[in-house]
């Protein structure tokens, strides 16, 4: 809503930062989707039920992947991304 | 070594003493300003682990033993929230910091127009939701005592577990009061407490992992063998009900944000937003580690423990049964840590809410005038907080005693989660949606709360305890669609998921619909804009208008809440900023907002607002504020800043115009004066020449002496005329640019020497100060003309310096490629109004001392213009001061 003209295209660095922010925002979605997969598994007692060890390995594997991704993103994300000009377009 | 109960008590007390020491040392370090390490992201991350209470420490294994992997949902929700920090937590923390929020109730009340009603409501729900949880912690500690006592053959069976619960509650209350209410301002943070819970976080993680490692490698025979064991056990397959899996994950994510104790460590105790960065991956790792061994422990426990053993105690009883007493002791400490850290933080969070939103408003009402009255508000607030802590723990103990510590309590964890999760729509809607209103929040919270009580809390006590069985089966008064666990006749849903679904649905729906239909007050809109757009402008709200407040009253009040030193510093800074001397600034809206914000760190936003309101009169919101609330805020501000720029520009132009006009008027006066001057200047000598030449012509009887005298007068006057005409001619030549310059190279010192010699200053009363070293500057210019300027200036000083012991300083310097020669005398200088015209023709500073025609400086100015330099009057010196500048580039070229 700011009247300041927002540049339509960003320089390379800002562009990277902006996409990192997108990644950071999408990470919880990824987590929800991956951990939502067990909803599709057949439950115990039925044909082809997923064994407990497989379930444990899958769930904890996702956990490790998420932690690593969060670690990478939090390292790369600039200190004060929200102060960047042109926040209006991709800010909140 | 056998695990005796006595040893256990000793270890326990020793551990508590150790925690006291840790907290005490941390407080000391923070006080001495050496607490840098206290504010590390790791400590922050560890402090978040109060999410893992005794319920998760012991209960997770029991949970896993009963329902398989469903226990994981309790950790998955927070993990999703943490990895999504950029989206939600970051904003929450930023708001918490800029608005100095003290609790979740404070945040919600502050967002919705600093509503006291909302704050009280949220506080009550939080107390109702948390009290059973505290009771649960007391139960788990007593249960673990009991487990160890059972294993101790020497000890008598534990009869009065209530005694233990009571001492634990009292001990925790003491600890919390000691370190939780040391300083009043919530933003000063409880370093001691945070450090202690960070240590406890390490202890419980280490304990659980130690038990896990023992179980997997000691009993299970390695990772592969343990996994095989798991698949061979009763928990062989994925068993989790889909709705519960999704519902509980959502519930734990919501509770992670809204639990008062989590809000306390996440937002209130946060020292630096950057810590979230680390916590975003480190806390998920912590949660992963703490849940890693839960299933193995459960499976091995089910295998080796006798049938009917309480799986909730496997973490403790499995090592005990294996004779691993040290491990059991460690495990006990882990559980003890989980319980105590949760209780401490929960008690602080609840006490802050209760004292700020319930006790303080009542106290303010009772004392009538409130803030301006005598008595120290700080003491009242701290007392209120201490009493609240004791009260909260007391409630927890009473609840524990009344419930009898049975199985009913074990289910209360999720019930409690569902209760505080009711804050979620108001909280998230408040920080992401500007249209959210107070009415919406109230409606949503009420609906959610009622449904939670009806569908989950009351039935949780067991069928027939609070709600008669008939009502459970047929609904109240036989209305079937109101049955607590089958609302609207939809049966067959898991009761917990049923309650979460309906309460959240009605809560969110009511919140949105009521927000859409209602109209917010100005203060709400203002706060809404502040919260939702916190990243655009972290400015503080301006909610106070009018200057009716007495600064002194404000000061008296602020001193009581912030403490004298801090309040005085605050007021003095503000006064200085406003350009005033002393301690009392004008009560501008800006300052009042700042003051209110500072105080809200101590007593909460609503109370601070009310206290300032008592002094200010009504809570007024000015027209400007309303404009600021409007959607066009940004445009308005842009527009007004443009206007401001323009008006500044106009003011500047007007000033210049006025100056020019003034100068023109003066010049016009001078023009008039010029004519009369010139005629006067010419007439005076002419008159005497004519008179004396007539005498010489007419009177022959003059003696030669007189003749010579008259002829001399005529001659002198003629010379004076000639000089005047020469000057005029010189000036006109210079002005027309027809002058021929005789450019030579020379040293500045020589020019000055020449000027000094020509004016004969060395023999007069005028004392001259020079620094010859500075004057050794090579010049390429017209030396004679420059000397003429200098002679003029020195002669002026000679003539006009009115000091008793006249002095003239000739200072030489350079700046920005310009050579500067200053002539400064110690007289009274040139009056301000004359400074602008001193270089005009025939301008004389004083009429009494008519010495010349007033052309000297005009000539000087023209000469300097020809020499590419300037001559100007230098105001603000000890006396009259003239500055001659010449470009230095010429000098360099000459060298």
């Amino acid at each position: 809503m700011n009247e300041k003209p927002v540049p339509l295209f960003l320089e390379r660095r800002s562009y990277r930062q902006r996409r990192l922010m997108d990644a950071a925002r999408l990470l919880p979605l990824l987590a929800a989707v991956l951990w939502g997969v067990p909803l599709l598994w057949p439950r115990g007692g039925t044909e082809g039920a997923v064994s407990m060890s497989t379930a444990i390995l899958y769930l904890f594997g996702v956990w490790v992947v998420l932690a690593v991704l969060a670690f990478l993103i939090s390292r790369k994300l600039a200190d004060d991304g929200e102060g960047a000009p042109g926040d209006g377009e991709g800010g909140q | 070594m056998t695990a005796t109960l006595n040893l256990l008590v000793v270890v326990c007390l020793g551990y508590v003493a150790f925690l006291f020491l840790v907290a005490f040392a941390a407080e000391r370090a923070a006080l001495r300003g050496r607490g840098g390490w206290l504010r590390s992201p790791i400590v922050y991350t560890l402090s978040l682990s109060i999410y893992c209470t005794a319920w998760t420490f012991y209960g997770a294994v029991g949970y896993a033993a009963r329902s398989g992997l469903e226990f994981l949902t309790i950790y998955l929700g927070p993990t999703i929230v943490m990895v999504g920090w950029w989206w939600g937590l970051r904003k929450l923390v930023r708001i918490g910091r800029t608005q100095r929020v003290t609790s979740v109730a404070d945040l919600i009340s502050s967002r919705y127009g600093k509503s006291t009603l909302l704050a009280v409501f949220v506080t009550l729900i939080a107390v109702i939701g948390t009290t059973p949880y505290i009771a649960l912690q007391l139960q788990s500690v007593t249960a673990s005592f009991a487990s160890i006592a059972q294993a101790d053959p020497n000890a008598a069976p534990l009869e009065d577990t209530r005694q233990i619960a009571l001492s634990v509650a009292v001990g925790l209350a003491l600890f919390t009061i000691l370190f939780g209410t040391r300083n009043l301002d919530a933003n000063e943070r409880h370093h001691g407490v945070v450090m202690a819970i960070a240590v406890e976080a390490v202890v419980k993680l280490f304990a659980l992992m130690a038990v896990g490692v023992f179980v997997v490698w000691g009993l299970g025979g390695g990772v592969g063998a343990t996994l095989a064991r798991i698949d061979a056990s009763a928990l062989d397959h994925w068993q989790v009900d889909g709705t519960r899996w999704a519902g509980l994950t959502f519930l734990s994510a919501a509770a992670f944000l809204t639990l008062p104790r989590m809000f306390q460590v996440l937002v209130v105790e946060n020292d630096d937003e950057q810590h979230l960065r680390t916590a975003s991956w480190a806390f998920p790792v912590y949660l992963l580690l703490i849940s890693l061994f839960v299933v193995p422990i459960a499976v091995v426990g089910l295998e080796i423990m006798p049938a009917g053993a309480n799986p909730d105690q496997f973490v403790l009883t499995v090592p005990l049964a294996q004779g691993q007493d040290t491990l059991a002791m460690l495990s006990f400490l882990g559980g003890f840590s989980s319980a105590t850290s949760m209780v401490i933080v929960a008690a602080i969070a609840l006490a802050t809410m209760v004292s700020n939103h319930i006790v303080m408003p009542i106290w303010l009402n009772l004392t009538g005038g409130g803030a301006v009255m005598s008595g120290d508000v700080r003491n009242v607030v701290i007392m209120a907080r201490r009493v609240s802590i004791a009260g909260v723990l007391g409630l927890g103990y009473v609840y524990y005693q009344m419930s009898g510590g049975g199985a009913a309590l074990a289910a209360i964890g999720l019930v409690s989660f569902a209760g505080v999760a009711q804050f979620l729509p108001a909280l998230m809607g408040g920080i992401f949606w500007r249209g959210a209103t107070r009415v919406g929040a109230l409606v949503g919270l009420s609906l959610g709360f009622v449904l939670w009580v009806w569908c989950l809390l009351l039935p949780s006590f067991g069928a027939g305890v609070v709600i008669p069985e008939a009502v459970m089966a047929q609904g109240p008064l036989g209305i079937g669609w109101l049955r607590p666990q089958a609302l609207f006749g939809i049966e067959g849903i898991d009761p917990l998921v049923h309650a979460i679904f309906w309460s959240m649905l009605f809560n969110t729906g009511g919140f949105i619909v009521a927000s859409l239909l209602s109209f917010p007050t100005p203060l709400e809109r203002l706060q809404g804009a502040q919260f939702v757009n916190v990243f655009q402008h972290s400015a503080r709200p301006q909610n106070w208008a009018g200057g009716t407040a007495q600064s002194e009253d404000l000061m008296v009040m602020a001193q009581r809440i912030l403490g004298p030193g801090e309040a005085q510093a605050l007021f003095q800074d503000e006064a200085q900023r406003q350009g005033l001397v002393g301690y009392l600034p004008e009560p501008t809206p800006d300052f009042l907002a700042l003051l209110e914000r500072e105080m809200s760190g101590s007593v909460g936003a609503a109370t601070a607002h009310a206290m300032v309101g008592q002094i200010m009169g009504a809570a007024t919101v000015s027209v400007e504020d309303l404009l600021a609330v409007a959607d066009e805020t940004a445009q308005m501000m842009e527009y007004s800043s443009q206007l401001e720029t323009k008006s500044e520009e106009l003011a500047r132009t007007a000033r210049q115009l006025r100056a020019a006009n003034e100068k023109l008027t003066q010049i016009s006066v001078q023009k008039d004066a010029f004519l009369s001057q010139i005629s006067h200047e010419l007439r005076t000598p002419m008159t005497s020449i004519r008179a004396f030449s007539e005498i010489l012509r007419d009177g022959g009887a003059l003696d030669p002496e007189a003749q010579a005298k008259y002829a001399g007068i005529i001659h002198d006057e003629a010379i004076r005329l000639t000089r005047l005409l020469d000057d005029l001619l010189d000036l006109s030549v210079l002005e027309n640019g027809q002058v021929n310059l005789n450019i030579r190279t020379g040293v500045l010192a020589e020019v000055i020497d020449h000027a000094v010699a020509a004016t004969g200053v060395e023999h007069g009363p005028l004392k001259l100060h020079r620094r010859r070293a500075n004057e050794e500057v090579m010049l390429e210019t017209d030396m004679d003309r420059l000397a003429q300027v200098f002679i003029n200036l020195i002669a002026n000083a000679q003539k006009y310096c009115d000091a008793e012991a006249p002095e003239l300083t000739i200072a030489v310097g350079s700046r920005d490629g310009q050579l500067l020669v200053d002539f400064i005398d110690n007289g009274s200088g040139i009056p301000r109004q004359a400074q602008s015209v001193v270089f005009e023709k025939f301008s004389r500073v004083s009429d009494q001392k008519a010495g010349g025609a007033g052309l000297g400086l005009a000539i000087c100015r023209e000469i300097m213009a020809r020499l590419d330099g300037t001559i100007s009057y230098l105001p603000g010196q000890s006396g009259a001061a003239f500055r001659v500048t010449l470009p230095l580039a010429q000098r360099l070229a000459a060298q």
Side-chain angles (χ1 to χ4, degrees):
Chain A
M1 63 178 188
N2 228 325
E3 280 290 282
K4 265 187 250 162
V6 174
L8 192 54
F9 301 106
L10 301 160
E11 55 175 306
R12 194 180 183 82
R13 219 186 85 79
S14 322
Y15 183 87
R16 274 280 132 250
Q17 279 297 316
R18 200 55 62 75
R19 297 295 80 78
L20 265 173
M21 283 180 218
D22 292 347
R25 285 195 193 91
L26 289 173
L27 202 55
L29 203 69
L30 178 74
V33 168
L34 289 181
W35 276 331
V37 168
L39 292 176
L40 306 172
W41 289 345
R43 289 177 57 188
T46 53
E47 188 66 27
V50 175
S51 76
M52 194 64 160
S53 55
T54 316
I56 289 178
L57 289 177
Y58 173 76
L59 291 170
F60 281 87
V62 169
W63 213 325
V64 170
V65 168
L66 285 174
V68 169
L69 283 179
F71 174 75
L72 292 179
I73 290 175
S74 75
R75 288 292 122 148
K76 289 266 166 103
L77 215 53
D79 273 358
D80 211 8
E82 74 275 1
D87 209 25
E89 155 251 329
Q92 302 316 307
Chain B
M1 188 189 83
T2 50
T4 65
L5 205 55
N6 290 336
L7 180 66
L8 189 71
V9 169
V10 170
V11 169
C12 215
L13 287 179
Y15 182 66
V16 169
F18 168 67
L19 285 183
F20 265 88
L21 273 180
V22 167
F24 185 68
E27 290 272 340
R28 286 285 293 268
L31 264 185
R32 289 186 191 156
R34 285 182 307 150
W37 50 275
L38 291 174
R39 290 184 220 99
S40 75
I42 292 301
V43 171
Y44 177 70
T45 307
L46 286 175
S47 75
L48 297 187
S49 75
I50 55 152
Y51 179 76
C52 309
T53 63
W55 177 51
T56 48
F57 189 87
Y58 294 119
V61 173
Y63 201 153
R66 289 186 204 100
S67 340
L69 279 175
E70 190 182 292
F71 83 95
L72 267 187
T73 54
I74 303 302
Y75 304 102
L76 298 190
T79 304
I80 293 175
V81 171
M82 279 317 286
V83 297
W85 66 289
W86 187 261
W87 184 79
L89 270 181
R90 193 173 64 108
K91 193 165 191 178
L92 207 58
V93 168
R94 172 71 68 88
I95 291 171
R97 293 170 60 79
T98 50
Q99 300 285 329
R100 312 202 79 186
V101 164
T102 57
S103 64
V104 62
D106 195 29
L107 184 103
I108 291 178
S109 117
S110 181
R111 161 62 180 85
Y112 298 105
K114 308 187 180 179
S115 154
T116 310
L117 181 63
L118 256 180
V120 171
F121 196 35
V122 172
T123 304
L124 286 180
I125 298 181
V127 171
I128 295 173
T130 310
T131 306
Y133 215 127
I134 290 176
L136 186 59
Q137 307 304 312
L138 297 178
Q139 186 205 13
S140 75
V141 173
T142 47
S144 58
F145 261 106
S147 289
I148 293 210
Q150 256 180 357
D152 179 7
N154 304 330
L158 218 54
E159 271 165 17
D160 198 5
T161 50
R162 286 171 188 185
Q163 193 62 40
I164 299 173
L166 183 63
S167 20
V168 171
V170 170
L172 286 175
L174 275 179
F175 184 90
T176 314
I177 287 171
L178 201 56
F179 293 102
T181 58
R182 173 158 288 191
N183 38 36
L184 180 55
D185 188 345
N187 276 15
E188 279 165 26
R189 295 180 182 88
H190 310 99
H191 293 291
V193 172
V194 170
M195 204 58 217
I197 60 178
V199 169
E200 292 194 291
V202 176
V203 170
K204 66 191 178 200
L205 181 65
F206 182 73
L208 200 58
M209 290 195 69
V211 175
V213 166
F214 168 69
V215 164
V216 170
W217 280 278
L219 300 175
V223 177
T226 309
L227 281 177
R229 262 180 197 236
I230 289 173
D231 282 340
S233 72
L235 304 170
D236 53 350
H237 283 100
W238 172 255
Q239 294 281 7
V240 183
D241 173 50
T243 57
R244 273 183 77 88
W245 179 257
L248 287 181
T249 306
F250 165 78
L251 182 64
S252 63
F256 186 69
L257 286 168
T258 53
L259 277 171
R261 65 171 197 277
M262 286 319 296
F263 191 88
Q264 178 80 21
V265 286
L266 264 175
V267 178
V268 182
E269 303 280 356
N270 178 289
D271 254 315
D272 183 350
E273 261 173 63
Q274 296 304 317
H275 291 174
L276 270 181
R277 210 172 268 277
T278 307
S280 74
W281 57 269
F283 189 61
V285 169
Y286 186 96
L287 290 178
L288 185 155
L289 291 178
I290 215 162
S291 47
L292 193 56
F293 293 111
V294 168
V295 174
I297 295 173
V299 166
V300 171
L302 284 174
E303 219 172 280
I304 64 172
M305 296 302 285
N310 182 4
D312 280 332
Q313 293 290 317
F314 277 173
V315 180
L316 205 55
T317 48
V318 167
L320 273 178
Q322 297 296 314
Q324 297 285 336
D325 289 344
T326 318
L327 193 59
M329 193 66 83
L330 186 63
S331 160
F332 172 80
L333 280 186
F336 187 71
S337 291
S338 316
T340 50
S341 55
M342 178 270 164
V343 173
I344 289 167
V345 181
I348 290 179
L350 283 184
T352 308
M353 281 154 81
V354 170
S355 79
N356 281 355
H357 303 304
I358 294 178
V359 179
M360 284 309 288
I362 292 175
W363 184 82
L364 277 177
N365 264 341
L366 287 183
T367 51
V372 208
M373 291 188 21
S374 63
D376 195 330
V377 179
R378 279 163 74 80
N379 286 342
V380 176
V381 176
I382 289 187
M383 265 324 286
R385 245 172 238 190
R386 288 183 177 156
V387 171
S388 307
I389 288 174
V392 165
L393 281 168
L395 264 180
Y397 176 71
V398 168
Y399 189 96
Y400 165 75
Q401 224 183 12
M402 279 173 46
S403 70
L409 210 50
I412 208 79
L414 288 173
V415 176
S416 170
F417 271 29
V420 293
Q422 302 306 324
F423 303 153
L424 192 72
L427 187 71
M428 287 293 123
I431 68 173
F432 285 108
W433 183 33
R434 279 179 63 179
T437 68
R438 190 177 70 99
V439 177
L442 274 173
V443 169
L445 270 176
S446 316
L447 284 175
F449 177 70
V450 167
L451 282 172
W452 170 67
V453 169
W454 179 244
C455 299
L456 199 59
L457 184 66
L458 297 184
S460 78
F461 295 110
V465 177
V466 182
I467 304 180
E469 285 185 44
V471 174
M472 292 293 284
Q474 272 111 41
L477 308 172
I479 308 172
W481 56 274
L482 279 183
R483 275 172 292 163
Q485 297 186 338
L487 278 186
F488 307 106
I490 302 175
E491 290 177 55
I493 317 177
D494 176 80
L496 182 65
V497 177
H498 172 269
I500 298 168
F501 177 74
W502 288 117
S503 65
M504 289 313 282
L505 186 74
F506 274 85
N507 186 338
T508 314
F511 170 67
I512 292 174
V513 171
S515 289
L516 291 178
L517 293 180
S518 60
F519 195 83
T521 64
L523 194 55
E524 275 176 77
R525 302 178 74 186
L526 198 62
Q527 290 293 89
Q530 291 283 330
F531 275 56
V532 176
N533 300 333
V534 67
F535 290 119
Q536 263 101 51
H537 40 79
S538 296
R540 46 188 99 94
Q542 303 189 356
N543 353 340
W544 295 109
T548 49
Q550 298 293 315
S551 294
E552 209 168 333
D553 289 344
L554 286 174
M555 176 104 164
V556 170
M557 174 186 67
Q559 281 186 348
R560 293 224 193 81
I561 292 175
L562 304 172
E566 204 172 314
Q568 280 160 17
L570 182 74
F571 274 65
Q572 200 173 14
D573 284 352
E574 178 65 16
Q576 242 170 28
R577 213 181 52 73
Q578 294 182 1
L580 302 171
V581 184
Y583 285 98
L584 295 179
E586 288 294 317
T588 58
D590 266 349
F591 174 60
L592 289 172
L594 170 75
L595 183 66
E596 194 186 310
R597 225 166 48 102
E598 289 290 329
M599 293 198 327
S600 72
S602 302
V603 292
T607 308
H609 192 69
M611 291 178 98
V612 175
Q614 281 180 341
I615 292 179
M616 289 294 299
T620 46
V621 176
S622 70
V623 179
E624 288 92 319
D625 293 334
L626 286 178
L627 283 178
V629 184
D631 276 341
E632 310 88 309
T633 321
Q635 283 98 316
M636 291 298 304
M637 274 155 64
E638 183 85 359
Y639 183 59
S640 79
S641 86
Q642 274 174 10
L643 273 184
E644 209 165 283
T645 327
K646 280 204 178 115
S647 82
E648 253 170 42
E649 212 174 292
L650 279 177
R652 208 164 39 239
T653 317
R655 259 200 314 278
Q656 286 167 350
L657 278 176
R658 246 195 317 277
N661 183 39
E662 210 166 291
K663 204 170 161 192
L664 277 177
T665 320
Q666 275 172 338
I667 288 173
S668 141
V669 170
Q670 272 179 31
K671 282 259 188 264
D672 293 343
F674 180 79
L675 288 174
S676 63
Q677 283 273 356
I678 199 122
S679 44
H680 175 76
E681 296 289 335
L682 291 173
R683 245 182 85 171
T684 322
M686 277 308 219
T687 313
S688 31
I689 290 173
R690 210 178 78 194
F692 287 108
S693 59
E694 275 169 6
I695 294 171
L696 286 177
R697 186 193 63 193
D698 299 341
L702 284 170
D703 54 79
E705 203 177 308
Q707 242 180 25
K709 187 187 165 196
Y710 296 154
I713 292 175
I714 292 171
H715 184 246
D716 284 349
E717 291 299 315
I719 287 175
R720 212 176 120 194
L721 259 182
T722 317
R723 202 170 59 223
L724 182 63
L725 291 173
D726 278 348
D727 277 357
L728 275 174
L729 193 66
D730 202 9
L731 193 59
S732 111
V733 166
L734 281 163
E735 277 183 342
N736 293 327
Q738 295 160 344
V739 69
N740 291 319
L741 294 175
N742 178 17
I743 305 289
R744 288 183 289 129
T745 48
V747 183
L748 179 66
E750 284 172 12
V751 185
I752 299 179
D753 284 345
H754 172 58
V756 169
T759 48
V761 172
E762 275 148 347
H763 312 292
L766 185 66
K767 205 165 162 238
L768 206 58
H769 300 285
R770 292 171 61 183
R771 285 181 67 92
R772 290 195 151 271
N774 291 352
E775 292 169 5
E776 296 299 326
V777 181
M778 289 297 287
L779 287 174
E780 185 179 24
T781 184
D782 188 328
M783 295 298 162
D784 299 330
R785 286 294 189 180
L786 192 58
Q788 192 185 346
V789 173
F790 289 175
I791 290 169
N792 217 306
L793 291 174
I794 298 171
N796 275 354
Q798 238 172 342
K799 269 187 259 176
Y800 301 117
C801 183
D802 50 5
E804 272 181 39
E807 290 176 15
L808 177 69
T809 309
I810 302 176
V812 179
S814 66
R815 186 199 307 151
D816 303 335
Q818 296 276 318
L819 173 71
L820 311 177
V821 188
D822 294 344
F823 294 80
I824 306 165
D825 70 23
N826 61 344
S828 53
I830 296 175
R832 192 158 162 61
Q833 69 274 17
Q835 283 170 12
S836 59
V837 292
V838 76
F839 293 105
E840 303 301 332
K841 290 178 283 258
F842 296 109
S843 96
R844 286 208 198 103
V845 173
S846 59
D847 293 332
Q848 308 94 299
K849 290 190 177 178
L855 291 172
L857 284 174
I859 293 173
C860 287
R861 187 178 63 171
E862 292 304 325
I863 292 174
M864 289 317 297
R866 295 292 149 247
L867 297 180
D868 291 332
T870 59
I871 178 166
S872 54
Y873 186 74
L874 201 61
Q877 304 301 314
S878 53
F882 291 89
R883 164 163 292 178
V884 174
T885 63
L886 272 172
L888 259 181
Q890 289 188 0
R891 183 198 70 155
L892 292 172
Q895 287 171 341

